[in-house]
Amino acid sequence: LYDHRLDRLHLQVAGRLDDNSRFGSEFTGQVASGYEFAPGWQVTASYGSAFRGPNLSEQYSPGFGGLFAGNPDLEPESSVSAELGLRWRHDRFGQLSAALYRTDVDDLIAFNGPNFRAINIDEARLEGLEIEYALAHADWQLDANLTLQDTEDLGTGQDLLRRPEEKAAIRVDRRFGNGSWLGLEWFWSGDRMDFGGIDLDSYQLVNLRAGWLFQPAWRVELRGENLADEYYEPAYGFDGAGRSWFVSLAWIPGG
């Protein structure tokens, strides 16, 4: 990793070498830069490549009654991505950023085959706009994001399955002086296409999370998911989880 700052210009260059016993060696890299053209304003740009071999589940999972099974003949993914962004920062009003991106993928791994089996999509394209906002005030933290995207299987001209054109999320956290916290999350997904032209409905989820630090190294964590008990299908024929609660106990030495 090379990281250099010169006045208002910030430059990063990174490289990575993957050595896979089955798929061989692959070098990937990224170049990213940011330029502060006015106080609080920065324009950013990046270009890079990526490589991902299929994991064990994608290769060998037996699936569920023959559905969503792995495929031992999968090839690794390779991709190139470009992004152009604009960022605004203010000490009082937080940070707002917007980024246009495009990713071209060869051999995209997706559960799009017969019975949703894992296959490689020869060529795919993903492009869109991401908008993010963050604000910290006293013990409160607000984070929000919106994604508008267009995806395409270039071999068929169809949208990639189960990828919504719009999705958004908002998270609000309250931190307390003793290290405890309370947070609320909202997530919304637009409708998505699945096999056979089936349109999966949009849905939204509201989640709760909290933590209580009752000793210097001990804390209890609580998480409630889908508090409204909304029915939704992440994939056709597979119901999303209803209202769920999780409690955990964590020990953090030196915390």
Side-chain angles (χ1 to χ4, degrees):
L1 172 66
Y2 173 77
D3 190 310
H4 180 71
R5 292 180 182 270
L6 178 62
D7 194 17
R8 293 182 290 176
L9 177 67
H10 186 194
L11 176 66
Q12 284 187 338
V13 180
R16 169 174 168 165
L17 178 65
D18 288 272
D19 186 12
N20 188 294
S21 60
R22 179 177 176 183
F23 301 112
S25 300
E26 186 76 19
F27 179 82
T28 56
Q30 183 182 50
V31 177
S33 64
Y35 180 72
E36 186 175 357
F37 61 91
W41 289 91
Q42 184 183 52
V43 61
T44 62
S46 67
Y47 182 84
S49 59
F51 169 87
R52 184 178 80 85
N55 59 41
L56 291 177
S57 177
E58 291 167 336
Q59 294 180 91
Y60 303 113
S61 171
F64 307 91
L67 301 176
F68 289 96
N71 181 355
D73 297 323
L74 287 175
E75 295 294 329
E77 292 180 2
S78 60
S79 64
V80 291
S81 299
E83 181 178 293
L84 180 64
L86 181 66
R87 182 177 300 151
W88 173 72
R89 289 177 176 161
H90 191 279
D91 292 340
R92 181 178 178 184
F93 298 112
Q95 176 177 301
L96 178 65
S97 62
L100 291 167
Y101 67 89
R102 172 171 164 172
T103 301
D104 292 302
V105 189
D106 291 332
D107 294 319
L108 175 70
I109 298 171
F111 286 90
N112 287 15
N115 294 325
F116 309 113
R117 189 187 188 199
I119 61 169
N120 287 115
I121 295 176
D122 289 341
E123 292 182 300
R125 177 177 298 157
L126 304 90
E127 54 189 6
L129 169 67
E130 292 183 342
I131 301 174
E132 297 182 346
Y133 176 71
L135 174 65
H137 178 70
D139 297 320
W140 291 89
Q141 175 72 41
L142 169 67
D143 295 282
N145 62 75
L146 170 67
T147 299
L148 307 174
Q149 65 179 353
D150 180 64
T151 66
E152 183 181 354
D153 178 340
L154 297 180
T156 64
Q158 299 294 316
D159 294 342
L160 296 177
L161 302 185
R162 306 175 207 101
R163 295 178 185 258
E165 293 184 354
E166 309 94 6
K167 58 183 178 179
I170 298 175
R171 186 179 69 188
V172 179
D173 287 316
R174 172 70 162 89
R175 296 281 175 174
F176 300 94
N178 62 353
S180 303
W181 72 92
L182 179 65
L184 194 66
E185 304 169 348
W186 172 80
F187 172 79
W188 173 78
S189 170
D191 54 7
R192 296 93 60 219
M193 187 184 73
D194 213 322
F195 272 111
I198 294 172
D199 192 42
L200 300 175
D201 291 336
S202 63
Y203 67 93
Q204 56 183 330
L205 301 175
V206 178
N207 306 321
L208 173 73
R209 56 197 188 90
W212 176 39
L213 193 70
F214 63 94
Q215 290 290 335
W218 289 91
R219 71 185 182 203
V220 174
E221 298 181 4
L222 170 68
R223 182 170 180 85
E225 298 186 350
N226 193 6
L227 298 184
D229 201 24
E230 177 163 350
Y231 172 78
Y232 67 100
E233 290 180 294
Y236 177 65
F238 285 79
D239 296 345
R243 185 184 299 114
S244 306
W245 295 95
F246 304 89
V247 179
S248 62
L249 177 66
W251 177 57
I252 307 174

